[in-house]
Amino acid sequence: MARKKRVRPYHSLEEIQLRKEQLDEVIELENEEIKRLWGQLSKDDEELSRGEQITKYIKYGMMAYDGVMTLRKLKRNYGSILNIFRK
């Protein structure tokens, strides 16, 4: 079961406004962190040379081909993909 978080009671509009500003700051910091991390993920592709990019795509193609061939072999041996999980 999930625990309920305690909610601090607010007694004035100033307390509500202060809490809202605190939450806005936290959201902004988390947003900046997400942008930084996303930039790191996409930056790797930009730094690859043309040959490295082609190699990467060939590797992904080989992995996809291997997956399809594995599924084909399992289907041929078990009759259906769903029969793999039955006993």
Side-chain angles (χ1 to χ4, degrees):
M1 282 199 288
R3 281 190 190 179
K4 291 184 178 180
K5 292 184 179 181
R6 290 183 182 222
V7 178
R8 193 176 89 184
Y10 298 105
H11 300 291
S12 68
L13 290 175
E14 289 81 20
E15 290 178 1
I16 294 173
Q17 184 65 30
L18 181 64
R19 180 65 178 150
K20 181 180 178 256
E21 290 171 0
Q22 290 172 345
L23 289 174
D24 285 342
E25 290 174 8
V26 169
I27 289 171
E28 185 62 34
L29 290 173
E30 289 175 352
N31 190 25
E32 291 299 321
E33 180 68 14
I34 290 170
K35 284 181 184 177
R36 185 185 64 80
L37 292 172
W38 186 256
Q40 286 179 348
L41 285 174
S42 62
K43 187 168 83 170
D44 292 341
D45 290 341
E46 296 169 0
E47 294 179 355
L48 295 177
S49 69
R50 185 69 175 157
E52 290 171 336
Q53 288 177 351
I54 291 171
T55 303
K56 182 179 80 170
Y57 294 134
I58 290 172
K59 181 177 77 170
Y60 289 157
M62 290 172 60
M63 288 173 22
Y65 176 78
D66 185 43
V68 168
M69 289 296 112
T70 301
L71 286 174
R72 181 175 170 257
K73 184 177 179 182
L74 289 172
K75 185 177 185 290
R76 186 178 43 166
N77 288 339
Y78 291 100
S80 172
I81 300 291
L82 298 176
N83 287 341
I84 295 170
F85 304 107
R86 295 182 186 156
K87 177 86 184 181

